[in-house]
Amino acid sequence: MEKNRIRKCALVIGLATMMLIFLSESWAAEEKYPSGQIEIICGMVAGGPADLLTRAVARGFEKYMGATVVPGNKVGGGGIVATTTVANAKPDGRTLAVLAETSVLTAIALGRATYNLADLRSVGQIALFPNVLAVRADSEWKTFQQFLDFARKNPGMKYAHPGIGSTIFLKMENMNKFGKMGMVGLPFKGDPEIVAALLGGHVPVGGSVMTNFKTHIDSGELRVLASFDPPELVGLDPKIPVVESVFGKELGDIDVPFSLVAPAKTPDAVVRVLEENLQKIVKDPEFVATLQKIFLVPAFVDGKTVNEKNLPEKMVRIKRILARIDMPK
Amino acid sequence: MPDILSGLLSGFQVAFDPLNLLFCFAGVFIGTLIGVLPGIGPIGAMSILLPMTFGLSPVSSLIMLAGIYYGAQYGGSTTSILVNIPGEAASIVTCLDGYQMARQGRAGPALGIAAFGSLIGSTFSIIVLMFSVITLARVALKFGPPEYFSLICLSLLISVYLARGSFAKSIIMIILGLLLGCVGIDSVTGIPRFTFGSPSLYDGIGVSQIAMGLFGIAEVFENLEESLSRVVFKTRVKNLLPNLEDWKKSIGPIARGSILGFPLGILPGGGAVLASFLSYALEKRISKNPEKFGTGAIEGVAGPETANNAGAGGAFVPLLALGIPPNAVMALLLGALIVHGVAPGPTFITKHPQVFWGVIASMYVGNIMLLVLNLPLIGLWVKLLKVPYRIMMPLILVFCLIGAYSINNSVVDVLVMVLFGVVGYLLRKSGYDSAPLVLSFILGPLLETTFKQSLIMSDGSFSIFTQRPISAVTLAIAALLLISTAFSYYRKAKADVAFGDGGA
Amino acid sequence: MKTHRLVSCFCWITLSLFVMISSYRMGLGGVHSPGPGLMPFLLGVLLLFPSFYLLAEPLFRKREEEPAGEKAGRGQYRKIGMVLVSLVVFCLLLERLGYMLSMSLFCLALFRIMNNRWRTILIGSALTILITYYGFTFLGLKLPEGIFR
């Protein structure tokens, strides 16, 4: 009986100690910002360019702020789930997200958002995603103008895009309608399928982020006809035309920036710390090198400009594009 | 040929580097753990370890991450056999016969044949990959939306053979699976369907949640019905390894599983899950005693387990040859490679041969490690069976809950799993078998998407399916299968009527 | 068994109708350019056939059908109910109270349902919580902190 009693006591004490250790760990986390744990969410799948960007940002914050920064993924609805999570999170600067501004706004414009823009606040813009238009290298179109003429003479050509409602679709369909190219969109699930469809000859032209196209461009299998952003930014031949310069400013093209976003009510002091460090990160050589590998363009814009100028402007453009391409039905 | 040999030799040199051996072991070990635990898939583990690999060389990172991936394929069968709960969707079919074998005291042979089958399947895929990776990838590129559509039609047809019991009930399950697959944003029109305003459903219901609910939670509910004193396992375990008889029966399924699984892994969208389901259906179809399936036929474990590992190996083909990932796990590997500046693509093998061959060689090494790891564990797992159910059951639920939560760090997934647990329980009580539901759930969205894509490509004409050679051939096979099944069913019905008996 | 059959067929038919109505409203499009509602609508229609067949089947056969499942004792259903309630409560509490607390409550409840001896209940729960918490955090899983933030 005695042995049993002692065993029981030991067990209880052991358990109590472990619980105390656990409790003290979490209470200790309530230190002064920015020490303690910060979470940065990404709305896209692990391994994709958006996710790699998020991880690079997390590493940058660890380096410059000395905090423990944990990247996480909350996939769903093309970013809607992640955006909703950060919109509803506690505004203490410990939950942030790296989001595509365009996706955030498009969801609202389409009436699908489960968050309000007023609940979000950009800390600063981080980088741009350059998109390009590519065809198979052995196809007959060597320049964008050739392709343009061909498309107009042969209405009904198919172009590949990663899904209706995606930013690339918006841009390409906008170009299609404005330029009267007469093309028909062929949706695919995910960028790798677009590459496969192009290489396999199932679709003549497709649009995607450079990240997915680069190895094939280098190996000579794909040819870039046009870029939506200045081609030198991603190491392309500067003679490749920029879409907006071909069609003119009336096209109203949108770029694809990624921002660090926090809940709107996050205290200004916290946001300032984050913004200052973000600016340093975007200039950091290691960060720039990483982004170069994934063909993203580091481009910092301060939070105030993003929130007060860029986002509203972009929303106007998005709504104009949606109207032009006849969405939402 | 000499190129390949020299490449392989240099690869082994890389693979046997002590650091890489360590990473290989770490990868397969973690992979096995992940495979055994329900819900937590290789993606979760790989994305957590991804930052750790940033400081390593590209070869080492790839070796470890790849190890996690095929390691998980080994571990997935363990819980299926022991407690009838699939570690992931690809292990569902292993539950059907593997668990029955365990109940008959043959958990050891089941686990053993699963391990050996996995080894053979993986090795087969690596060898084929080694010799023909570029050619295979080019052939795979020829599969566009119409070809996929025809292939999925064929697969759906084959999946009818998964059905046990009443034909009408199986049809209902298949239709239900297809309907569940419709939940989410329609890929072609961008309109949300059946999402009830919840963004978590925009990408559809996750297959893991459904599998864990229908098979895991429902299983627990069903076991709760029986009074706990009834021990369901024969405690005297006869053998720990498969005997000669088992091997004789399994050789065919293993061979067929490898050949079937590998190509399915190359094509996007299906992969290991499709491979295991189709292998099971195939074995049942060509078996001389199809009624044995579902009662503990070792062929029902050997075939699928081999197929899903062969499929996992096949998934490397488009990734390494073209830089095109056929599934989410490969996409993550792609990301890892890109970050290391070693983007795979058509020039990958020639520009970075040491990475390519190093990974291939380490796959051999990893598979051997996995066998050595898993075989002795069989003894441990079998001992685990002796733990009383009243203690096991809460643990099983705990792991399922954590597993479901870990999919996307969301409670919604856990609730979905519980919901399907209730549904699965009710279905079982009413005599419905959920396996066909899972397969059609996976295939349904693919079927619809490829159909719509094909129609866009052809401007609305159906002839695209018959004009393109690969698609036409596949459809012809499907049609033949349909006719032959209908014919044999008709003959059976006639015979039954002649003997005054009722049919299915 | 007849109730099972009636109830399940009733469920399927209701589901069919619901699906057919919702998908019709989504727009069926044409066969050559299918709209979002076409596939679910067709499936809904298809679902009616085996459902009605199942309903009508007993009329075709005179013999006994195979029992779909034995009925369990009353007490066992109560157990299932309690487990189900525990599962749902756990889900609802998880993000509010955090992993440690909600899992502790869940384990206590579950072990209690299955066991009578308090020693088993407490030790089982404690071990489960500690091992899973530290084990999974080590593996990199993020478990909610809830009120401990």
Side-chain angles (χ1 to χ4, degrees):
Chain A
M1 277 305 109
E2 263 306 299
K3 245 172 76 172
N4 262 336
R5 275 278 218 76
I6 296 177
R7 277 226 209 113
K8 263 205 204 160
C9 286
L11 208 66
V12 172
I13 294 178
L15 292 177
T17 328
M18 293 196 90
M19 300 271 326
L20 277 174
I21 296 179
F22 165 75
L23 286 174
S24 62
E25 261 180 31
S26 41
W27 269 322
E30 287 302 324
E31 292 160 24
K32 193 165 149 34
Y33 196 87
S35 34
Q37 187 163 303
I38 300 178
E39 187 191 358
I40 305 190
I41 309 176
C42 173
M44 303 299 204
V45 285
D51 174 67
L52 296 173
L53 174 67
T54 312
R55 290 175 194 274
V57 171
R59 275 203 308 285
F61 272 116
E62 283 197 336
K63 184 169 163 186
Y64 285 96
M65 244 169 47
T68 319
V69 185
V70 180
N73 300 74
K74 267 226 177 221
V75 184
I80 295 185
V81 176
T83 316
T84 315
T85 311
V86 77
N88 297 332
K90 215 166 144 193
D92 56 3
R94 294 197 187 277
T95 312
L96 307 166
V98 169
L99 301 172
E101 292 177 18
T102 328
S103 310
V104 171
L105 294 173
T106 312
I108 298 179
L110 289 175
R112 281 200 214 135
T114 41
Y115 50 84
N116 296 310
L117 199 54
D119 296 328
L120 299 168
R121 172 180 185 170
S122 167
V123 172
Q125 179 186 295
I126 313 172
L128 293 170
F129 266 40
N131 293 311
V132 300
L133 216 80
V135 295
R136 269 172 71 137
D138 57 8
S139 57
E140 57 193 275
W141 313 289
K142 306 265 186 297
T143 69
F144 185 56
Q145 192 58 47
Q146 281 177 356
F147 181 78
L148 201 54
D149 297 331
F150 186 90
R152 284 175 176 152
K153 285 206 207 82
N154 301 281
M157 282 190 71
K158 315 290 181 291
Y159 70 88
H161 63 84
I164 301 201
S166 69
T167 310
I168 298 180
F169 169 72
L170 254 54
K171 292 160 69 105
M172 292 190 72
E173 187 65 8
N174 182 40
M175 174 186 77
N176 186 30
K177 283 268 154 52
F178 185 81
K180 297 202 187 2
M181 291 171 75
M183 294 195 298
V184 176
L186 185 56
F188 285 90
K189 244 187 150 186
D191 295 320
E193 287 198 19
I194 296 181
V195 180
L198 267 178
L199 291 178
H202 303 290
V203 74
V205 66
S208 182
V209 192
M210 265 300 280
T211 325
N212 299 303
F213 282 164
K214 188 62 162 70
T215 37
H216 304 278
I217 297 171
D218 284 343
S219 70
E221 305 212 329
L222 290 180
R223 177 186 308 131
V224 175
L225 286 184
S227 168
F228 284 96
D229 306 276
E232 313 83 60
L233 284 180
V234 276
L236 283 173
D237 182 359
K239 287 207 276 310
I240 292 176
V242 176
V243 172
E244 194 165 75
S245 60
V246 173
F247 293 104
K249 278 203 123 126
E250 265 304 300
L251 180 67
D253 196 20
I254 44 179
D255 59 0
V256 192
F258 273 68
S259 263
L260 183 67
V261 177
K265 297 210 185 67
T266 311
D268 285 339
V270 172
V271 174
R272 223 170 331 146
V273 171
L274 286 170
E275 192 175 337
E276 280 164 10
N277 283 294
L278 186 63
Q279 203 166 9
K280 290 191 210 145
I281 294 174
V282 176
K283 294 208 200 75
D284 177 72
E286 193 193 319
F287 182 79
V288 172
T290 310
L291 258 60
Q292 258 180 353
K293 289 209 199 99
I294 48 184
F295 302 101
L296 301 178
V297 182
F300 176 80
V301 176
D302 65 282
K304 191 156 180 274
T305 316
V306 174
N307 287 313
E308 292 174 13
K309 181 165 169 292
N310 289 2
L311 287 178
E313 259 181 27
K314 202 192 254 20
M315 185 58 124
V316 170
R317 286 189 176 221
I318 290 178
K319 289 208 170 128
R320 206 159 49 137
I321 294 181
L322 287 177
R324 183 182 285 150
I325 66 179
D326 204 16
M327 262 185 94
K329 296 217 189 12
Chain B
M1 183 66 190
D3 285 332
I4 294 181
L5 277 182
S6 67
L8 193 59
L9 272 170
S10 67
F12 272 113
Q13 275 183 316
V14 176
F16 278 115
D17 175 275
L19 201 64
N20 288 336
L21 277 179
L22 182 67
F23 284 122
C24 186
F25 182 74
V28 301
F29 180 71
I30 296 178
T32 312
L33 270 183
I34 296 291
V36 171
L37 296 171
I40 307 172
I43 296 190
M46 287 163 75
S47 60
I48 289 165
L49 292 170
L50 192 60
M52 253 190 256
T53 67
F54 287 149
L56 306 171
S57 71
V59 196
S60 309
S61 330
L62 196 51
I63 287 179
M64 184 167 83
L65 292 173
I68 298 180
Y69 179 49
Y70 52 83
Q73 298 299 331
Y74 272 75
S77 48
T78 311
T79 44
S80 308
I81 295 174
L82 293 181
V83 283
N84 208 21
I85 295 175
E88 35 162 18
S91 318
I92 293 179
V93 280
T94 314
C95 292
L96 300 176
D97 280 273
Y99 182 62
Q100 295 303 318
M101 284 181 71
R103 286 176 83 140
Q104 293 157 19
R106 306 232 301 142
L111 291 166
I113 208 76
F116 280 111
S118 301
L119 175 70
I120 298 176
S122 290
T123 316
F124 173 80
S125 64
I126 301 173
I127 295 180
V128 180
L129 191 143
M130 207 170 59
F131 282 105
S132 49
V133 68
I134 306 249
T135 333
L136 285 174
R138 295 271 158 216
V139 170
L141 278 183
K142 296 260 178 297
F143 273 76
E147 285 76 23
Y148 279 118
F149 175 75
S150 309
L151 192 62
I152 294 174
C153 281
L154 183 59
S155 309
L156 267 178
L157 217 55
I158 297 180
S159 75
V160 172
Y161 288 107
L162 282 178
R164 298 182 284 184
S166 156
F167 192 64
K169 288 184 175 176
S170 307
I171 294 284
I172 292 185
M173 287 290 100
I174 294 180
I175 297 179
L176 203 57
L178 292 171
L179 272 176
L180 284 172
C182 289
V183 174
I185 294 188
D186 172 31
S187 51
V188 175
T189 55
I191 295 181
R193 298 190 298 191
F194 303 114
T195 56
F196 306 110
S198 162
S200 312
L201 289 178
Y202 278 171
D203 288 339
I205 312 176
V207 70
S208 301
Q209 292 90 307
I210 293 186
M212 284 163 66
L214 286 178
F215 293 90
I217 310 278
E219 173 72 17
V220 168
F221 283 149
E222 206 176 24
N223 284 335
L224 278 177
E225 279 181 10
E226 299 150 10
S227 66
L228 296 166
S229 55
R230 175 175 150 201
V231 175
V232 284
F233 288 89
K234 275 195 180 163
T235 39
R236 264 206 64 225
V237 178
K238 292 178 210 155
N239 274 314
L240 281 186
L241 285 178
N243 55 33
L244 196 60
E245 179 69 39
D246 294 327
W247 275 106
K248 276 207 283 197
K249 286 201 215 145
S250 308
I251 268 295
I254 289 183
R256 286 184 287 269
S258 310
I259 302 178
L260 179 67
F262 182 67
L264 285 176
I266 303 181
L267 304 171
V273 187
L274 206 57
S276 63
F277 273 94
L278 289 183
S279 166
Y280 187 86
L282 179 71
E283 292 309 315
K284 191 171 172 191
R285 174 81 175 93
I286 66 178
S287 159
K288 299 207 178 31
N289 324 67
E291 66 285 348
K292 281 252 179 65
F293 278 77
T295 64
I298 200 165
E299 300 91 322
V301 178
E305 277 302 311
T306 313
N308 75 17
N309 278 63
F316 280 93
V317 169
L319 177 73
L320 294 177
L322 297 173
I324 299 177
N327 60 38
V329 182
M330 291 294 128
L332 199 139
L333 276 177
L334 181 66
L337 286 173
I338 290 181
V339 168
H340 280 98
V342 186
T347 51
F348 179 64
I349 302 180
T350 40
K351 274 212 292 202
H352 304 277
Q354 74 281 16
V355 181
F356 177 74
W357 289 112
V359 173
I360 301 267
S362 86
M363 284 201 221
Y364 283 114
V365 174
N367 273 293
I368 306 284
M369 278 189 194
L370 279 165
L371 193 69
V372 167
L373 210 72
N374 279 291
L375 281 183
L377 282 180
I378 294 181
L380 180 70
W381 298 131
V382 169
K383 285 224 181 68
L384 217 61
L385 284 177
K386 299 226 183 85
V387 175
Y389 194 67
R390 54 190 168 82
I391 298 186
M392 277 290 268
M393 179 272 208
L395 289 176
I396 293 174
L397 284 182
V398 169
F399 279 108
C400 282
L401 289 172
I402 301 180
Y405 181 78
S406 72
I407 297 175
N408 210 17
N409 272 349
S410 157
V411 177
V412 177
D413 293 324
V414 189
L415 277 171
V416 169
M417 177 184 75
V418 173
L419 177 69
F420 275 99
V422 175
V423 169
Y425 173 66
L426 294 171
L427 286 176
R428 286 188 195 200
K429 294 294 292 174
S430 316
Y432 289 85
D433 171 31
S434 345
L437 188 152
V438 179
L439 184 61
S440 61
F441 170 75
I442 296 173
L443 292 178
L446 291 174
L447 187 76
E448 194 188 1
T449 310
T450 51
F451 184 67
K452 290 185 178 167
Q453 283 173 325
S454 306
L455 283 186
I456 293 182
M457 283 169 74
S458 67
D459 296 310
S461 154
F462 286 152
S463 63
I464 191 173
F465 297 113
T466 44
Q467 273 174 356
R468 293 162 67 116
I470 303 182
S471 168
V473 167
T474 318
L475 279 179
I477 300 178
L480 280 173
L481 193 62
L482 188 64
I483 295 175
S484 89
T485 316
F487 195 57
S488 61
Y489 186 72
Y490 173 67
R491 276 201 307 186
K492 183 169 174 290
K494 261 177 71 173
D496 288 337
V497 166
F499 283 108
D501 215 355
Chain C
M1 290 311 107
K2 257 192 117 184
T3 8
H4 270 160
R5 193 172 277 262
L6 278 177
V7 170
S8 53
C9 289
F10 176 72
C11 286
W12 303 138
I13 296 178
T14 324
L15 184 64
S16 291
L17 294 174
F18 168 74
V19 165
M20 282 165 65
I21 297 178
S22 336
S23 20
Y24 187 74
R25 283 159 66 179
M26 276 185 234
L28 297 182
V31 191
H32 289 275
S33 68
L38 187 64
M39 169 115 162
F41 184 80
L42 286 176
L43 289 174
V45 172
L46 273 178
L47 187 59
L48 288 175
F49 291 100
S51 313
F52 279 115
Y53 175 79
L54 273 183
L55 261 184
E57 201 183 13
L59 302 174
F60 294 152
R61 302 185 200 299
K62 295 293 163 65
R63 55 170 193 148
E64 277 295 306
E65 345 154 344
E66 325 85 59
E70 306 114 37
K71 264 182 149 24
R74 237 329 81 128
Q76 302 305 114
Y77 278 143
R78 216 183 53 160
K79 269 209 173 87
I80 298 177
M82 291 199 289
V83 171
L84 182 59
V85 168
S86 314
L87 283 168
V88 175
V89 168
F90 171 78
C91 290
L92 298 174
L93 290 180
L94 179 61
E95 305 228 290
R96 255 167 269 262
L97 291 186
Y99 177 77
M100 267 309 220
L101 265 187
S102 1
M103 190 55 94
S104 314
L105 291 172
F106 180 75
C107 282
L108 285 173
L110 266 262
F111 275 105
R112 176 73 186 101
I113 297 175
M114 306 290 288
N115 292 279
N116 281 315
R117 308 177 57 187
W118 275 102
R119 197 172 70 162
T120 325
I121 299 174
L122 285 175
I123 298 181
S125 308
L127 281 176
T128 311
I129 302 165
L130 292 171
I131 295 179
T132 54
Y133 179 77
Y134 286 107
F136 283 108
T137 316
F138 169 73
L139 281 179
L141 215 58
K142 267 167 45 268
L143 299 167
E145 284 160 41
I147 59 175
F148 286 121
R149 263 193 143 225

